[in-house]
Amino acid sequence: MNSSIATREFGRMPDGRIVTEYTLDNGLGLRLGAINHGGIVTALRVPDRHGHSGNIVLGLPTLADYLGPHPHLGTIVGRYANRIAGGRFTLDGVAHQLDLNNGANSLHGGHQGFGTRFWQIEPVPADSAAGEIAIDLRYTSADGEEGFPGEVQVTVRYTLSTTENAWRIDYRAMTDRPTVLNLSHHDYFNLAGEGAVLDQRLTIPASRYCPVDAGLIPLGLAPVAGTPFDFRVATPIGERIDAPHEQLRTAGGYDHNWVLDREPAGMALAARLEHPPSGRVMEVHTTEPAVQFYSGNFLDGSLRGPDGESFRRGAGLCLETQHYPDSPNQPDFPSTALRPNEVFSSTTLHRFGTLA
C-alpha cells in the first residue's frame, strides 16, 4: 500500500476563503486529517491489535462547528500555550497586557489565538528516502496580536512516517521584536475511539509537577511522590482522579504541568498511553521540558462528534508538550523569551503501536 496526501473542501470561512482538509495516509493504517482553520487535526486513525483503524482524537462534524465555541479541539495553540497570570508580563522592562479569555488570565493566546487563525497549508515534496510524507502550515502573527509584541512568522510541519506508525510535529518561529512564545498542540486523545478514557493507563516520567491556585496558575513545583500525580508507573487515569486531594478538587481532575525527568537537550519520553482492550499504545516524545496532562474535566456533553456521540467529562485527554505555564512571570521557570535573530524550534513525536 502506498502513502498519499488527498484533499477535499471542508467548508468556507465567512469571508469566502476555502478551508481544505488534507488527509495524510502513510500506507500502514495511520491517517491524519488537518484543515486550514487553526491547523486543526480533524481525525487521526490508528490501527488496533487486529489491524482495524479507529479515530483516536475528538473532532467535530463541520467547519461551522469549529467556527463556534469549542475547547481547542485539535488546534495549534499559541502564541502562548497555557495560562499567563493576569494576562500581564514584563519583558526587557516593558509591560504588556494581553487579551483575557480565562477569567482574570490569558489562556492559549487569547480569544483569537493560533487555534482560530487561518493557516496556509501546502504539501511537502515526498521524501521516500526518509520514509516520510508531510504538510507545512504557515501563519504570520501580527505585532500586537492579542497584545503580544512582535511580528512572528510560524511554520508547523505535520509528518507521517511511511516506515512506522508515527506522527511528528515540528514547530519553527522567528520574531522581529522581543516576545514570548510557547507553542503546543491540543488534541483530545482516546485510544478506544469512543467512551471515556478513565480505564486507559498513563505513564509520565516526571518526579515533579506544578500545583496551581484557583485560577490554575502554577504555585511553583512539588514532588509527585505519595500523591495522585505520580504517574511514573503506568496507572489507570480514573484510579485516583476523584481522590480527596486539594489539587484535584481545584482543577476538577487533572489539569497540571508535569516537569519531565530528562536530559536538557534532544528528544525524551513525555508520556505513554495504553488501552489494553484494543491494544493501542501511544508514546509521546518531545524536545520540550514539560507536558500538560488535562483529563477533559470541562467537557460537558454540549458538543457532539461526527457520529453523534456526546463529548462528556473524560471523553478525551490532552498531553500538551510545552514550556511551563506562566513562565514570563516566574523567573525560576525556563525562559520562553524569543528575540530577533533567534529561531524557536521544537519537535514532538507521537509513536503508535500495539501491546503484545
Side-chain angles (χ1 to χ4, degrees), residues 316-334:
L317 64 89
C318 302
L319 295 166
E320 305 157 62
T321 56
Q322 57 188 249
H323 271 58
Y324 309 177
D326 198 37
S327 291
N329 295 312
Q330 306 214 25
D332 291 339
F333 288 178

Side-chain angles (χ1 to χ4, degrees), residues 121-206:
I121 303 180
E122 59 183 31
V124 176
D127 189 342
S128 56
E132 296 178 344
I133 56 170
I135 55 174
D136 277 346
L137 303 91
R138 292 188 174 88
Y139 175 66
T140 298
S141 177
D143 181 24
E145 185 174 286
E146 302 299 287
F148 289 93
E151 179 183 280
V152 175
Q153 297 183 3
V154 185
T155 301
V156 180
R157 177 171 290 187
Y158 297 162
T159 301
L160 295 190
S161 169
T162 60
T163 58
E164 62 174 346
N165 280 320
W167 168 38
R168 190 177 74 244
I169 310 173
D170 294 298
Y171 305 89
R172 180 182 173 90
M174 297 182 68
T175 182
D176 64 356
R177 287 180 58 195
T179 192
V180 296
L181 188 75
N182 190 23
L183 301 182
S184 189
H185 217 277
H186 209 286
D187 305 281
Y188 287 74
F189 294 103
N190 184 337
L191 295 187
E194 60 184 4
V197 298
L198 299 181
D199 65 337
Q200 296 177 34
R201 297 166 57 85
L202 179 65
T203 305
I204 302 177

Side-chain angles (χ1 to χ4, degrees), residues 28-58:
L28 301 171
L30 182 64
R31 283 182 288 162
L32 179 145
I35 59 174
N36 303 90
H37 179 66
I40 289 171
V41 169
T42 53
L44 182 61
R45 303 190 68 83
V46 176
D48 65 10
R49 63 158 56 89
H50 302 295
H52 301 137
S53 284
N55 182 26
I56 65 157
V57 297
L58 304 189

Side-chain angles (χ1 to χ4, degrees), residues 9-22:
E9 183 174 318
F10 193 76
R12 294 182 181 244
M13 300 293 288
D15 62 6
R17 283 178 296 178
I18 295 173
V19 172
T20 301
E21 182 179 51
Y22 290 76

